[in-house]
Amino acid sequence: MHLADGVLSPAMVASTYALSVAGMAYGAKNMEDDDVPKIALSAGTFFAVSLISIPVPPTSVHPLLCGLIGIILGRKAALAFFPALLLQALLFKHGGISSLGANTVLLFIPALISYILYKKISFSNSFVKGGIIGGLSVIMTVIILIIILALTDARFAAGDFSVVKIVAIGHLPLVLVEGILTGAAVQFMEKAKPDWIA
C-alpha cells in the first residue's frame, strides 16, 4: 500500500506532510519515558512485517498492523509509522520521500480510530474485539487511499480496471488476515502485557 514518488500532486504532498507532522506533534505531546520502548518496538515490527509482499493478482499487498499499533500507541502511532516508512523508503525504495507524509497519514488515522474503537467497544471476548478492529483498520486505510488518489487525479478511479478498484479488491483478503492477527495479538497482550494496552 506504500505510495511511490511521483504519484501525488504537489498540493497533496504538501497537505499530507502537514497532516503527518501535526499527527506526530500531537503524539509527542506529554510523551513519557515508558512510551519510548512501545513506539520503538511498534516501529520495528511495522518496518519488518510490512516488507512482506503477499501476491493478490493483479497486485500485491502487505500487512499493515495499523489496528494493532493503534491499540498499543493510540495518538502516538504516527511516531512509529513515520520513521519506519522513512527507513523503508531510504533503504529499500519501498514507498517514497515525497509520499512519506501520505503513507504516514494512511496508517496513522486508522490507527487512531482503532484506538478509540478499542476503548469504546465492550466485547468481553478480546480476540473478537481485536479482530473486528484489525479488519476495520484495513478498510479505513483503503478508503483514505482512495480519497487521496481521487483528489490527486480523477483518472485513478476511472474505468473498469482502475487503480482504485484493483486496490480495493486486492485488500479484501487482508481484512481477514489482519483481523486474525490483531485479535490474537490483543488476546495475548491482555493476558501477558495488559499495561501496554491499558
Side-chain angles (χ1 to χ4, degrees):
M1 171 139 339
H2 291 60
L3 289 167
D5 285 327
V7 173
L8 302 177
S9 64
M12 187 58 69
V13 169
S15 59
T16 52
Y17 255 105
L19 193 53
S20 67
V21 169
M24 287 187 288
Y26 176 56
K29 188 178 179 182
N30 300 324
M31 195 169 76
E32 299 176 4
D33 291 342
D34 291 346
D35 294 323
V36 175
K38 289 195 289 187
I39 292 168
L41 183 61
S42 297
T45 302
F46 171 79
F47 176 85
V49 171
S50 65
L51 287 174
I52 299 168
S53 182
I54 304 166
V56 181
T59 184
S60 65
V61 298
H62 63 79
L64 303 171
L65 299 185
C66 52
L68 178 60
I69 291 172
I71 290 169
I72 296 170
L73 297 180
R75 63 185 177 87
K76 298 171 181 67
L79 297 170
F81 290 127
F82 189 88
L85 289 165
L86 175 61
L87 286 174
Q88 286 181 341
L90 293 174
L91 298 176
F92 301 107
K93 304 296 182 195
H94 202 54
I97 299 301
S98 67
S99 59
L100 180 59
N103 288 328
T104 303
V105 168
L106 282 172
L107 299 167
F108 163 61
I109 293 175
L112 182 58
I113 295 170
S114 295
Y115 172 77
I116 294 167
L117 289 174
Y118 180 77
K119 296 297 180 188
K120 298 290 184 186
I121 294 175
S122 57
F123 275 93
S124 57
N125 188 316
S126 56
F127 178 81
V128 173
K129 184 177 178 179
I132 291 170
I133 293 170
L136 284 175
S137 69
V138 175
I139 294 169
M140 288 186 279
T141 304
V142 170
I143 290 169
I144 295 167
L145 175 61
I146 289 170
I147 291 168
I148 287 173
L149 290 175
L151 289 174
T152 295
D153 192 331
R155 289 176 291 184
F156 283 123
D160 292 334
F161 295 101
S162 66
V163 173
V164 164
K165 289 179 182 175
I166 290 171
V167 165
I169 293 169
H171 281 81
L172 286 176
L174 195 59
V175 173
L176 179 63
V177 172
E178 289 270 342
I180 293 169
L181 283 174
T182 305
V186 167
Q187 188 177 47
F188 174 77
M189 282 194 300
E190 284 189 352
K191 293 176 182 174
K193 201 76 174 168
D195 56 311
W196 273 44
I197 53 177

